[in-house]
Amino acid sequence: MAEVLSRRCVIMRLVDFSYERYQKALRQSAGAVVIILPKNMSTMPQDIVQQFMELEPEMLATETIVPVYFALEDDELLSIYTQTLTTSSSQGSSSAAEVLIHTATANGFQMVTSGAQSKAVSDWAITSLEGRLAGTGGEDLPTIVLVAHYDSFGVAPWLSYGADSNGSGVSMLLELARLFSRLYTYKRTHAGYNLLFFVSGGGKFNYQGTKRWLEDNLDHTDSSLLQDNVAFVLCLDTLGNGDSLHLHVSKPPKEGTTQYALLKELETVASSQYPEVKFSMVHKKINLADDTLAWEHERFGIRRLPAFTLSHLNSHREAQRSSIMDVRSVKLSRNTKLIAESLARVIYNLTEKGAPGDLQIFTEQMQVQEEQLSSVVDWLTAQPRAAQLVDKDSSVVSTLEYHLGHYLKDVRRHYVKADKRDPEFVFYDQLKQTMNAYRVKPAIFDLLLAVCIAAYLGVIYLAIQHFGVLYSVVRRITAPKTKQH
């Protein structure tokens, strides 16, 4: 890298990225920083991925006037990188003449972006979806609420695919909707619980979709399943990897409650059917002094609804929850089976009925469909789902709505728009731009070329002058002498 970065575009590959180099570019007011990412980020060594994920929050929190671009590598971009790297490394040559010649003859690149200055989008709507399965056996039935937010987050919105956070949660919610809709189809297995499914938008922006949904259901309506007998709310977040499963709670459940029954059934199923999974409860009180909530269940806890979040992460501060490196989900099928079995044991009260811990409900024709889970994750991660990219007309929203409508009743949309006087969130346009690279010669090349042309013309001029003098001398010698009279 050159020592002086002013007016230079700094190009880094992810494998060579370091926070020190990045900060140096910012301190010296580089013209721009371009970070080249591999096309298939899942092939990157895990230590490099982890290092970058841990740096992303710092990059997001650093305010800078230097534009920072992320680009997926291709042959042309790698060629530019290689040539600029060669030029940079030549600065260490031992011979000053070699440096001068190489500097004069090397190709340079002028990087130009197209696009206007980013401006705030004033009327953006965040969309959430709900659907339900009605229980049987009376009107005042307890309700179990299953929640997963669908948006992703990362340092570059257009590269935020969120396979684990929270493609895994959404895929699991859809599979649970499919499984329990089949059970609720038959009279013999139709349980005495209402099941309410909620796919929330704006999860990465302090769970704005959930906040507005709660306000609509608890403050602005006279009839809602959330106003009646809520057994518990179970939020699904980052469940695609790992051999741990944590039930995050703001208030530990009391013995004898349905919430406590869920805790015990998760312990039972994990120990009896999936001994490789380490299950635990993580207690963290809600800190209203923080700008953002830790987990989605805290939105419900604030409104005094019993709620949990299930995740393979031990802490809400784990880097993969907000990273463009989140592209893997390999344990989703097993975790879905574990959670489905635990929910079924609660809903059908199987422990009190004496059912053994290793009894499996979802087998044969009712088993979890691993291929469908994988296909949903593949579909979700085929497009970036940052909240500022998913509007109410997005194919993400319409496709989720279609799948929910296939399994559930009364599927509805809920919209959130920022308060214009005191906005909770502000989205900007110009999140993606085209950068053109023009091959140019350095200024010293033009200077040397001008010197060479001037020298050439000077030689020609002197040669002409010299030839004229010689011609005059020759003429005098060869001219005939005049006769004297």
Side-chain angles (χ1 to χ4, degrees), residues 29 49 52 104 117-118 127 166 215 221 231 241 262 276 282 312 317-320 342 360 376 385 410 438 457 460:
S29 300
V49 170
F52 186 82
Q117 183 72 24
S118 295
T127 308
N166 194 27
E215 291 172 354
T221 183
N241 293 309
L262 174 66
E276 75 277 12
V282 180
H312 72 77
R317 301 185 188 279
E318 293 288 343
Q320 54 262 52
S342 302
Q360 294 191 18
V376 172
R385 300 188 317 284
D410 302 325
Y438 297 97
L457 293 177
I460 297 296

Side-chain angles (χ1 to χ4, degrees), residues 80-297:
I80 293 173
Y81 173 80
T82 302
Q83 292 182 56
T84 53
L85 188 65
T86 302
T87 302
S88 179
S89 62
S90 72
Q91 303 299 320
S93 300
S94 56
S95 169
E98 288 179 2
V99 174
L100 181 63
I101 294 172
H102 184 83
T103 302
T105 57
N107 287 318
F109 296 93
Q110 183 178 5
M111 315 298 282
V112 180
T113 58
S114 59
Q117 183 72 24
S118 295
K119 60 181 183 294
V121 180
S122 59
D123 202 31
W124 193 267
I126 292 175
T127 308
S128 300
L129 301 162
E130 75 163 88
R132 64 189 67 191
L133 292 172
T136 185
E139 293 185 357
D140 190 24
L141 296 176
T143 298
I144 293 175
V145 186
L146 299 173
V147 181
H149 67 272
Y150 64 81
D151 56 310
S152 58
F153 191 71
V155 70
W158 273 97
L159 297 174
S160 301
Y161 298 102
D164 198 4
S165 178
N166 194 27
S168 64
V170 173
S171 301
M172 183 179 292
L173 184 140
L174 291 177
E175 182 65 3
L176 292 174
R178 185 189 71 83
L179 292 173
F180 283 97
S181 68
R182 293 193 64 184
L183 288 174
Y184 274 45
T185 299
Y186 305 105
K187 186 175 182 180
R188 186 168 60 89
T189 55
H190 200 159
Y193 281 87
N194 296 316
L195 299 182
L196 184 58
F197 295 81
F198 183 58
V199 181
S200 61
K204 302 300 186 182
F205 288 86
N206 213 15
Y207 309 106
Q208 291 297 326
T210 299
K211 180 185 179 207
R212 183 63 57 84
W213 186 60
L214 286 168
E215 291 172 354
D216 291 343
N217 279 275
L218 299 179
D219 302 334
H220 304 143
T221 183
D222 296 329
S223 177
S224 167
L225 289 177
L226 293 180
Q227 290 179 331
D228 301 326
N229 182 10
V230 175
F232 58 80
V233 179
L234 182 60
C235 301
L236 308 171
D237 189 341
T238 319
L239 289 157
N241 293 309
D243 286 321
S244 298
L245 195 61
H246 304 285
L247 187 69
H248 295 271
V249 303
S250 302
K251 185 178 180 181
K254 294 181 179 180
E255 190 171 350
T257 62
T258 312
Q259 305 101 61
Y260 186 80
L262 174 66
L263 172 63
K264 303 311 290 184
E265 296 296 6
L266 285 165
E267 290 177 347
T268 298
V269 174
S271 61
S272 300
Q273 301 181 27
Y274 302 96
E276 75 277 12
V277 178
K278 298 177 182 178
F279 174 78
S280 66
M281 183 183 74
V282 180
H283 176 213
K284 177 194 168 298
K285 292 183 179 180
I286 301 174
N287 187 356
L288 296 177
D290 286 346
D291 293 333
T292 57
L293 299 177
W295 298 98
E296 192 158 12
H297 75 267

Side-chain angles (χ1 to χ4, degrees), residues 28 78 106 248 345 350 358 371 468:
Q28 296 197 17
L78 288 179
H248 295 271
R345 292 182 69 87
L350 295 183
D358 58 357
E371 288 186 3

Side-chain angles (χ1 to χ4, degrees), residues 347-377:
I347 290 171
Y348 296 105
N349 202 19
L350 295 183
T351 295
E352 287 195 11
K353 293 178 181 178
D358 58 357
L359 173 67
Q360 294 191 18
I361 309 301
F362 299 102
T363 60
E364 298 178 357
Q365 299 300 318
M366 283 293 297
Q367 65 182 336
V368 170
Q369 294 184 355
E370 186 171 351
E371 288 186 3
Q372 181 162 319
L373 275 169
S374 298
S375 65
V376 172
V377 172

